Structure formats: structure tokens, C-alpha cells
Amino acid sequence: MADSTGQEPTEPGHTGAVAADPYDRIAWRDLYARSAALRELAAELAARHAHTTDLLADAFLAAYLAAPRVREAAEMAPSRLFNREVVAELAASPGFAALRRETAGDPYAAALAVLAEAPALRLLLDRTEPVREAADRAAEARRSAGRPARTAGETARQAGATAGALGAGATSADGAAGPASAPAAPAGQAASRAEAAARQALEAATPGIRAAARTATAQAVRVTREEAALMRAWGVGHGELERMPYEERARLAERLRTGRLARWAELIGRFRQMADGERARKVENATGELIGVTLGDDLSRVLPSELAHLGLPELRAVFAARYAAGELMLYDSRGEQTTGQGAVIACVDTSHSMYEEGPGGITREAWSKACALALLDQARHARRDFVGILFSAADKLQVFRFPAGRPAPVERVLEFAETFLGGGTSYQRPLSAAAALLAEEFDTAARGRGDIVLITDDECGVTEQWTREWQEARHRLGFRLFGLAVGAPTATASGSVLEALCDNLRPIEDLTDVRAAADLFRLI
């Protein structure tokens, strides 16, 4: 029976197990509208089970909110007590705190967690159908128990209005309400019995719910951490991800999880981690190897014998005078100094032979591109331009420029990583292109002393005329050439072309070892 508004009465209590303000629920609705995967999951579950969209919203809010609060059972609508139990067990799972470190405040990551929890939740829903049916029966019994009372109340209101109009007979109206309210007592008892049965069924199912919640949380932690690590490996920062529209972020994640790029993520991550460590060791203008004693006023390098003068009152004035004159005895040292000023240019060979795999299934191309991306980080850390030059045969060349003063668009970085030209190998064209870029930088911005890194797995000849022009450019611009021969030990042999061209040349034989190029990140 409908109430006075013409609507079928609803059960009392909240339908959402997680307390949230309207803005947080808007975040869920907005994400739900944008995510086809969430809508498909909700439609699949709703076709077989009741109230599952509310359950997905609760799982999202539990992961997303800064301080989620699960409502008490007494606050909940009877039909949603099962949802409340599931969310409470999710929040109590051992891995939930670790999950929230990845998802709190990040709607995309929270949605990813919900999708990762779906297999465990789907299995749980299939196994607990009788529990939720008992809850629905209790909810219907409570609604039924409320109908006679509402009918009696409506009758009393109508009778009161009539009595007010007549001015008499109010007591008869009161008496009329008595028979109408009589059915409420049996209906209330039936509702109580149904609710007790629902509680018992839910209590019996609690161990299974707890186990499923732990499985779901563990899966969500694994998936969200893997995606976060994948993004970090490719140099996509958390701030950049938060600013990225949902659809774009979803496409990026899919692109990185599939194809050739997915196989490179772990290697790229190790390269970047290694480069970070080498940068930490590269202290600019710091004390390094002790080479003797000199004079000066740097108190951080004063000899202990000079400091001893401060302990004698009669010599403190002498110490002060020598300090003022810059004549204190100091340790003299030779530290690591910054040498590069111009751009960092990575010339990466993409000839057919770079497809060859080494130990662990890592290809020469993967090692080379991972090294180049770490060099991109190195350049940006030092506020230097970075240029990636992909080359193979003399007629195949592609240039990717990443100026220091602008963000490095992730789409452009991925294009650089994915591009493969194929064909043979020619040094002259990529090295000439690199020298031309450094010359342009020198002429327009007066920046010289750039660094070129040539990564190749082959050796090829160069002409005498080109060699003379190359040497002239090097002398004028002051750049350095580093050579990395990947899986090509003969290219580093005495008398090879690479040996003649490079200031610093090393062979790379073990493609699982990123530390083979470690000192490169201290020198550049």
C-alpha cells in the first residue's frame, strides 16, 4: 500500500555502509559515469544479485575517503546489512592500510581497487545468496509491519479533521483507530522473527565474508601497487596522474600494461633507480679525494692543528687574523665537478639486430631504450635539454626533442620508446645530427660542452672527410662522446671506429646488469 505521497514506503535506515558527504558521492557517480568497466561490472552483478551497485559504491568510498567510517549495524537498512558486513571486513583486512596508501584521495586508483576486488566479491555473492535473501525477507517484513500503523495514522488524521469540523464526536474517532491498529502486533512479531533469522544467517556467513574480504584486499593491493610501479617506471609522477583525465589515464595504463612496453617496465624502473643512486653520489663542488694542504678561509676544511689554536685564549686572536687574511691551513681535495652544460643527446641504434635477446629475454633495444630514458631523467634533473635520436641505416633517422624548460609529455616519451626503424647501421648521420643540434644550441644560447651517448650493437665505417668535420665540431663546441656497445665486444676492440670516435667507451655484455652504465650517470 502506498503512503500519503502515493509512493511505496521504503525501509528505515541507510543504504550506504560508508558515511560520506554529498561531494564524495558525486565523485563516485562521476567516476561511475566515466568508467565503462565499472558500469559493466555493476550491470553484471545487478543481473544476479540485489543491492550490488550500493556495495560497489561502498567499496569505492572505503578506499577513496581520507578517513572512511563504516556505519554501525543499527544505522543500516536491513537489506544492506550484508553490504555493511562486507565493507567492515574489507576495512579490517590486514592489507587495507597498504591499499589506502595507494588509493586515498585518488578516484582512479580507488576505482582500480574496486575492479581488482571484483573476482573475490563475485564469488562471495554467489555463495551467500541465502543470506541476502533472508535480509530482503526481513526488510519486507518490516515494511509490512509499518503499513498498518501508517494506515491507522492516516485514518486518525482524517477522523481528527472531521471531528474538528463537527466540533463533537472526537471520542468516537479515537475509538475508530483501535481496530485498525490491531493487525500491527502480529506483523511486528513476524518482522522481529525475520530480522532475527537474517542476523543469524549473517553471523554464520561472517567467517566466509572475512576470508573473501582479505582475498579481495590482497588482490587490490597487488594491482594498485603494480600500476603505481608501472607509472613510476615510465617517469609518470603522482601529481601528473592526479591531473590526468580519467579516460586518458585509463588508456595510458592499458598501453603500458600491454605490448612491448609492458616487458620493459621492470628494466626501466631498475635503470631509473640506479641513476637516482648515482646522482646522489654526484655531489657538486664537494670534498673528494684529499691531495694535500692549501691556504684559505673555508672553516669546513680547517686542519685540526689550526682548530687547536681556538682552545688557547692567547692564540685566538692569531687564528682570527689568519682567518681574515685567508691564510688558515686547509685540506686540499679534488672532487667530482659538473662538466656538461649543453644538451644530453642519446643516439640509439634501432637496426634489425637490436631485436636480439640476451639473458633473461631482454632485447638489446630494451636495454638501450631504458638507458636512454634514464638519461632523459638525468638531463631534466640537471635542467639540461634532452634529445633522443633513433637511427639505423643512413636514410633512417627520427629526432625527439625534450627542452629543459617544458614538461616531457608522456605520450611523446612513449612514442620515443616504441619507435623502431629497422634496417642497417650508420654512425655518420645520427652523430652529424647531434653535432648540428649542439651547434644550434651554442649559437643561440651560448651553451657548449654537451654530451652525446651513442648506443649501438654494430660497427660501421666513417669517411675521412666526415671525420675531419667531426673533429672540428668537437673542438669548437667542446662536447664529449660516450659509447655503449651493446652485445658487440668487437666494436670496442683496439683500433675500432668507436674507440677512435669516443672519449669514453665500454662494452655491455650482460643485459640484465644496469650497473654496467652506472658511472655514466656520474660523469654526465
Side-chain angles (χ1 to χ4, degrees):
M1 178 183 294
D3 60 18
S4 59
T5 64
Q7 299 295 322
E8 186 69 19
T10 58
E11 58 183 315
H14 292 281
T15 57
V18 178
D21 63 37
Y23 295 102
D24 294 323
R25 295 202 174 273
I26 288 173
W28 158 251
R29 290 194 294 269
D30 180 65
L31 194 73
Y32 184 83
R34 292 172 180 270
S35 172
L38 278 178
R39 294 196 302 274
E40 290 169 6
L41 174 62
E44 175 205 338
L45 295 180
R48 297 155 57 192
H49 310 289
H51 318 309
T52 49
T53 303
D54 288 338
L55 176 59
L56 295 181
D58 285 331
F60 169 85
L61 292 169
Y64 171 69
L65 293 182
R69 180 181 74 83
V70 180
R71 299 184 193 277
E72 297 297 328
E75 301 177 69
M76 296 299 299
S79 63
R80 305 307 199 278
L81 283 172
F82 177 84
N83 289 2
R84 186 261 173 200
E85 190 68 19
V86 172
V87 176
E89 293 297 342
L90 284 173
S93 297
F96 192 70
L99 174 64
R100 286 183 38 73
R101 282 194 289 272
E102 303 291 344
T103 61
D106 186 342
Y108 174 89
L112 183 65
V114 172
L115 294 172
E117 292 165 349
L121 295 179
R122 186 183 293 112
L123 184 61
L124 174 65
L125 290 168
D126 289 340
R127 290 177 174 175
T128 56
E129 185 69 28
V131 178
R132 284 171 292 104
E133 288 176 350
D136 287 341
R137 285 194 296 270
E140 179 56 33
R142 180 54 61 193
R143 283 192 292 267
S144 298
R147 289 190 186 108
R150 283 188 291 273
T151 301
E154 181 63 23
T155 301
R157 283 192 295 272
Q158 292 174 358
T162 302
L166 297 175
T171 55
S172 64
D174 293 339
S181 62
Q189 293 172 0
S192 297
R193 288 194 297 271
E195 289 172 357
R199 283 195 299 271
Q200 290 176 356
L202 187 59
E203 289 173 2
T206 296
I209 295 174
R210 182 176 300 120
R214 292 185 176 188
T215 300
T217 301
Q219 178 70 359
V221 169
R222 184 186 66 80
V223 170
T224 53
R225 279 182 173 172
E226 284 180 355
E227 179 150 319
L230 185 66
M231 294 297 180
R232 285 194 299 270
W234 283 96
V236 186
H238 185 70
E240 184 177 359
L241 287 175
E242 287 189 335
R243 293 189 299 271
M244 196 176 292
Y246 177 86
E247 297 86 347
E248 182 181 344
R249 186 168 171 181
R251 286 194 301 270
L252 173 62
E254 180 64 20
R255 184 176 179 183
L256 295 181
R257 281 195 297 264
T258 58
R260 295 191 304 144
L261 298 182
R263 298 179 59 193
W264 297 358
E266 191 271 338
L267 178 65
I268 292 170
R270 285 195 289 124
F271 248 109
R272 283 188 153 133
Q273 188 176 27
M274 177 272 291
D276 284 342
E278 293 305 313
R279 274 195 295 273
R281 296 175 58 189
K282 182 182 177 181
V283 181
E284 311 251 341
N285 302 315
T287 301
E289 177 188 1
L290 295 177
I291 58 174
V293 176
T294 186
L295 299 178
D297 59 1
D298 186 351
L299 296 179
S300 67
R301 296 190 288 134
V302 175
L303 268 61
S305 59
E306 290 278 32
L307 291 174
H309 293 164
L310 293 174
L312 301 173
E314 60 272 20
L315 293 179
R316 289 174 185 169
V318 175
F319 182 92
R322 295 181 62 186
Y323 172 66
E327 295 179 351
L328 293 175
M329 287 192 295
L330 313 176
Y331 287 117
D332 194 10
S333 63
R334 178 171 54 215
E336 293 174 336
Q337 304 291 325
T338 300
T339 55
Q341 298 291 329
V344 177
I345 302 179
C347 298
V348 182
D349 188 348
T350 60
S351 59
H352 284 310
S353 57
M354 293 291 283
Y355 272 136
E356 186 173 328
E357 292 186 356
I362 298 173
T363 64
R364 296 173 179 178
E365 180 200 12
W367 193 97
S368 302
K369 296 283 183 65
C371 182
L373 291 175
L375 288 169
L376 168 60
D377 286 349
Q378 187 84 350
R380 300 196 75 76
H381 186 270
R383 296 182 177 84
R384 300 168 66 183
D385 290 354
F386 176 82
V387 181
I389 297 179
L390 303 180
F391 71 94
S392 56
D395 60 338
K396 293 184 177 181
L397 189 84
Q398 194 159 346
V399 178
F400 296 81
R401 304 184 72 161
F402 299 90
R406 304 177 198 167
V410 64
E411 289 291 331
R412 187 65 171 163
V413 172
L414 292 178
E415 184 183 357
F416 169 62
E418 288 181 313
T419 300
F420 192 88
L421 302 177
T425 303
S426 171
Y427 295 164
Q428 290 188 183
R429 190 175 177 201
L431 291 178
S432 294
L437 288 168
L438 292 177
E440 176 187 345
E441 184 180 38
F442 180 79
D443 294 338
T444 58
R447 290 199 299 267
R449 295 158 58 200
D451 292 308
I452 303 172
V453 181
L454 177 64
I455 310 175
T456 183
D457 71 338
D458 201 359
E459 185 177 16
C460 66
V462 293
T463 66
E464 184 176 344
Q465 176 63 28
W466 181 88
T467 302
R468 282 197 298 269
E469 293 172 355
W470 171 260
Q471 296 297 346
E472 290 172 1
R474 180 189 298 201
H475 178 73
R476 184 172 77 91
L477 302 173
F479 60 77
R480 297 176 298 174
L481 176 62
F482 297 85
L484 298 174
V486 184
T490 58
T492 61
S494 178
S496 68
V497 173
L498 277 181
E499 185 193 43
L501 291 176
C502 295
D503 301 286
N504 185 303
L505 175 64
R506 74 209 62 202
I508 306 298
E509 298 178 4
D510 183 359
L511 300 185
T512 64
D513 181 17
V514 299
R515 296 208 61 81
D519 64 323
L520 195 66
F521 296 90
R522 292 196 304 274
L523 296 172
I524 291 180

